Amino acid sequence: MNSLPKNSMTACTLCPRRCGVDRTAGKVGVCGMTEELRIARISPHMWEEPPISGTKGSGTVFFSGCSLRCIFCQNRVISREGLGTVYTEAELENAILLLRDQGVHNINFVTPTHYTPIIARILKRIKSTLGIPVVWNCGGYESVETLRMLEGLVDIYLPDFKYFSSDLARDYSSAPDYPARATEAVTEMYRQTGAYTEENGLARKGVIVRHLVLPGCRKDSLEVLRHVARILPPEDIRVSIMRQYTPDFAMDAPYKNLHRRVTDFEYSSVLEEAERLGLKGFSQGKEAATKAYTPDFAGEKPPRP
Ligand code: SF4
């Protein structure tokens, strides 16, 4: 296991934005968060992939802030507006243990990248007695150096692979280097976990690559899948092809294609390509493309340990 930098938030380069700001002095970079641990929601969650949610739920910890800030983000009240409650490191540790004691199948850190050193410290203390897998549920815009802090601490990586095209990544997430960074990230994740494994229908370890099909971007989705199948052994991973895109959060975006839902043709042709490539995994029904599938964070107060 690698040792942690003393405090990588003093000149923060935790994600590929490499803002270099001193978050310990209250400064913020693109993610919008100081070193203060801000959390929007801690609860069992049933809407993840079946082997993650199972029958008892995935123990999710939704962090406030995000370094990607996609223009169609469905969780913008927490990712951009920073809704959340401040926790100490010890309070988060206790909250994770309480969540585990509720019987969830795993602990699922959602958009955790900008808090990696804190989470890694907690996991170093509790991982050996946690008894359930740890899931790292992130946007795929990760630095390999930061991921290495998690070696031996994370069992299941659940990264997005959003774009193959740098132009789309620039237009929708202001991150033209997204495809390159996501490529490095999923390669590192697979190196750490090895092949995807399930026990009794529940994920135990491995990489599940998520891809949200965007309206008007079908060809890019096909390229994402082809790329993933080139860089990772298809038989060793799972893909989760999502159709939950809803335009409700992007009506002010200057791209008309984002003002509608994904069509049946767009979604089914992406699924067909996954099958052709030998990629196994998960899909979503049409009913997923509604605001109802977006957790309502407004007014949400995470339970205090
Ligand atoms: S984690 Fe935040 S402050 Fe640090 S490099 Fe990324 S966006 Fe910038």
Side-chain angles (χ1 to χ4, degrees):
M1 210 176 284
N2 294 301
S3 60
L4 296 178
K6 259 197 174 140
N7 188 345
S8 47
M9 292 188 186
T10 51
C12 187
T13 54
L14 285 172
C15 83
R17 299 284 187 198
R18 303 184 69 82
C19 304
V21 296
D22 186 354
R23 293 170 61 196
T24 66
K27 300 275 193 311
V28 297
V30 176
C31 62
M33 291 291 125
T34 66
E35 69 167 349
E36 216 171 48
L37 196 49
R38 192 169 282 273
I39 295 170
R41 183 179 177 126
I42 300 179
S43 65
H45 189 51
M46 294 304 299
W47 298 342
E48 305 286 24
E49 288 75 3
I52 300 292
S53 282
T55 53
K56 297 178 187 165
S58 175
T60 45
V61 180
F62 285 90
F63 293 97
S64 308
C66 179
S67 62
L68 263 180
R69 304 186 153 227
C70 307
I71 58 174
F72 48 80
C73 180
Q74 304 185 8
N75 294 332
R76 65 177 60 192
V77 287
I78 63 169
S79 64
R80 291 194 196 185
E81 295 161 25
L83 183 88
T85 300
V86 174
Y87 271 52
T88 66
E89 190 171 321
E91 284 173 336
L92 176 56
E93 183 173 329
N94 286 336
I96 291 167
L97 295 173
L98 281 176
L99 202 50
R100 187 268 318 267
D101 293 345
Q102 286 181 48
V104 294
H105 297 299
N106 45 61
I107 297 298
N108 182 351
F109 296 111
V110 184
T111 321
T113 305
H114 46 290
Y115 292 123
T116 303
I118 299 172
I119 301 167
R121 277 199 300 269
I122 292 173
L123 288 175
K124 279 192 168 187
R125 291 193 290 271
I126 66 173
K127 173 71 178 156
S128 62
T129 55
L130 195 58
I132 51 176
V134 171
V135 181
W136 196 257
N137 183 339
C138 63
Y141 192 51
E142 317 297 317
S143 124
V144 169
E145 195 185 10
T146 300
L147 287 171
R148 290 204 170 134
M149 296 180 194
L150 300 166
E151 185 152 15
L153 300 173
V154 167
D155 303 284
I156 301 156
Y157 281 104
L158 192 51
D160 292 330
F161 205 118
K162 293 173 185 287
Y163 317 104
F164 180 74
S165 153
S166 293
D167 291 345
L168 278 189
R170 179 199 59 216
D171 292 348
Y172 297 169
S173 299
S174 307
D177 61 339
Y178 179 94
R181 299 292 82 79
T183 298
E184 293 164 358
V186 299
T187 304
E188 169 63 17
M189 291 170 185
Y190 175 67
R191 185 194 70 75
Q192 287 186 23
T193 67
Y196 175 82
T197 308
E198 279 183 16
E199 275 171 29
N200 302 320
L202 294 171
R204 294 301 306 180
K205 73 176 186 82
V207 180
I208 303 173
V209 178
R210 275 181 172 169
H211 177 69
L212 175 68
V213 181
L214 294 173
C217 301
R218 185 182 71 91
K219 288 185 178 161
D220 196 67
S221 290
L222 301 180
E223 290 302 334
V224 165
L225 294 183
R226 290 169 191 152
H227 181 63
V228 167
R230 273 194 302 271
I231 59 175
L232 300 177
E235 66 279 10
D236 279 358
I237 61 161
R238 293 293 179 270
V239 292
S240 177
I241 301 175
M242 308 172 83
R243 75 170 300 174
Q244 69 187 53
Y245 178 82
T246 163
D248 299 285
F249 305 94
M251 293 314 287
D252 55 349
Y255 304 102
K256 286 266 186 293
N257 57 301
L258 296 181
H259 299 175
R260 64 167 173 86
R261 287 183 166 71
V262 167
T263 64
D264 288 344
F265 167 71
E266 287 173 321
Y267 190 63
S268 61
S269 67
V270 177
L271 292 185
E272 280 162 23
E273 184 65 4
E275 195 172 347
R276 193 189 69 76
L277 292 163
L279 290 164
K280 296 194 193 88
F282 317 98
S283 58
Q284 286 183 317
K286 206 173 189 170
E287 70 284 356
T290 140
K291 256 174 128 174
Y293 270 64
T294 304
D296 181 10
F297 295 103
E300 190 86 33
K301 284 272 180 279
R304 281 280 169 197

